[in-house]
């Protein structure tokens, strides 16, 4: 099983901040990584797939990078709607999610 | 627009089974994968398995092999996920989600179905 580890678990930030979340895989997953945003009581929403491809309709302030075992999700200028929990997901071998990163108001 | 509409909340006794349905509309049901992801209260996301209806053979996360059954009915564009031998740890919101393959990524999600296992 491929383990996915996100850091930090919680992040406090202000509107306008640049935010970076890291996801590490226990073995190489090439670029088979996705990022999701989830708000309380709602289903996750796909933001990024194949490590750096922006899903249709997702604001361009979201970007992803990385390959192999280390990946990042960056929000260039945090907006009020972005306070949520973010998950990475590998789909190189079966499917595993990271434990989540909660982005909260500072 | 693709929509996945799931069945409603269920309360079950330990040791029983539950079946959750996921009806798709607005897209080509058979050629996409429908997967199931669960989320225990206050916890993260856990992939259970999935199926591509046109092929019909499901695949499962090792943890759920033998206790979870995923099926799909092409005639009604509906996928099903059944969990047997329920225990309290199975209390969770169960989501169906669409992808090009069963492992994801998942571009459309159902609204979730809360399954509560309690004596």
């Amino acid at each position: 099983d491929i383990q996915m580890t996100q850091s930090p678990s919680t992040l406090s930030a202000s509107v306008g901040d640049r935010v970076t979340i890291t996801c590490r895989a226990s073995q190489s997953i090439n670029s088979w990584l996705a990022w999701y945003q989830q708000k309380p009581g709602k289903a996750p929403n796909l933001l990024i797939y194949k490590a750096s491809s922006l899903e249709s309709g997702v604001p361009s302030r979201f970007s992803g990078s990385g390959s192999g075992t280390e990946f990042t999700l960056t929000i260039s200028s945090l907006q009020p709607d972005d306070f949520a929990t973010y998950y990475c997901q590998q789909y190189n071998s079966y499917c595993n999610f990271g434990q989540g990163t909660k982005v909260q108001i500072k | 627009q693709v929509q996945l509409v799931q069945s409603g909340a269920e309360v079950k006794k330990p040791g029983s089974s539950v079946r959750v349905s996921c009806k798709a509309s607005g897209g080509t049901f058979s050629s996409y994968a429908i997967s199931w992801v669960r989320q225990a209260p206050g916890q993260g996301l856990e992939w259970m398995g999935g199926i591509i209806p046109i092929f019909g053979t499901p695949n499962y996360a090792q943890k759920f092999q033998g206790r979870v059954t995923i099926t799909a009915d092409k005639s009604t564009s509906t996928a099903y996920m059944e969990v047997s031998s329920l225990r309290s740890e199975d209390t969770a919101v169960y989501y169906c989600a669409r992808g090009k393959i069963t492992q994801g990524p998942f571009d459309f999600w159902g609204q979730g179905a809360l399954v509560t296992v309690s004596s």
Side-chain angles (χ1 to χ4, degrees):
Chain A
D1 233 28
I2 298 175
Q3 306 303 316
M4 305 301 293
T5 304
Q6 288 181 232
S7 60
S9 296
T10 306
L11 187 161
S12 298
S14 302
V15 172
D17 283 354
R18 181 181 181 86
V19 166
T20 298
I21 299 168
T22 298
C23 179
R24 289 187 175 86
S26 59
Q27 63 190 73
S28 176
I29 57 170
N30 299 297
S31 295
W32 304 118
L33 184 103
W35 290 97
Y36 299 85
Q37 177 193 70
Q38 187 180 33
K39 295 182 179 178
K42 300 292 188 182
N45 182 47
L46 178 64
L47 301 174
I48 302 283
Y49 63 95
K50 210 173 176 187
S52 60
S53 296
L54 192 68
E55 175 70 356
S56 176
V58 174
S60 59
R61 62 181 180 272
F62 291 94
S63 64
S65 65
S67 66
T69 62
E70 189 149 339
F71 303 85
T72 58
L73 172 71
T74 300
I75 309 172
S76 60
S77 177
L78 197 66
Q79 298 302 300
D81 192 48
D82 301 339
F83 292 100
T85 300
Y86 294 83
Y87 292 94
C88 63
Q89 177 228 339
Q90 71 82 15
Y91 51 102
N92 180 74
S93 174
Y94 290 93
C95 168
N96 299 90
F97 291 89
Q99 81 278 16
T101 295
K102 183 177 181 179
V103 177
Q104 61 186 20
I105 299 172
K106 190 172 185 179
Chain B
Q1 177 71 314
V2 173
Q3 271 199 306
L4 301 176
V5 178
Q6 297 183 229
S7 49
E10 304 255 18
V11 180
K12 293 291 184 180
K13 300 282 189 193
S16 67
S17 298
V18 67
R19 190 173 82 154
V20 181
S21 67
C22 172
K23 184 171 176 60
S25 62
T28 307
F29 176 74
S30 292
S31 55
Y32 282 89
I34 296 290
S35 290
W36 293 87
V37 175
R38 77 177 185 179
Q39 187 168 38
Q43 302 301 309
L45 302 167
E46 184 173 33
W47 180 74
M48 303 176 70
I51 190 168
I52 301 177
I54 197 170
F55 298 130
T57 304
N59 66 331
Y60 301 100
Q62 191 169 9
K63 173 179 177 177
F64 297 103
Q65 195 88 32
R67 203 165 68 90
V68 170
T69 302
I70 294 171
T71 56
D73 182 342
K74 297 190 294 291
S75 68
T76 59
S77 299
T78 303
Y80 300 91
M81 188 279 304
E82 182 169 5
V83 184
S84 62
S85 302
L86 286 166
R87 34 209 190 227
S88 59
E89 309 90 89
D90 294 316
T91 294
V93 175
Y94 289 77
Y95 293 103
C96 61
R98 190 192 84 158
K100 290 182 181 175
I101 57 174
T102 57
Q103 298 96 300
F106 307 118
D107 55 359
F108 289 97
W109 294 67
Q111 82 276 20
L114 175 62
V115 175
T116 303
V117 183
S118 173
S119 55

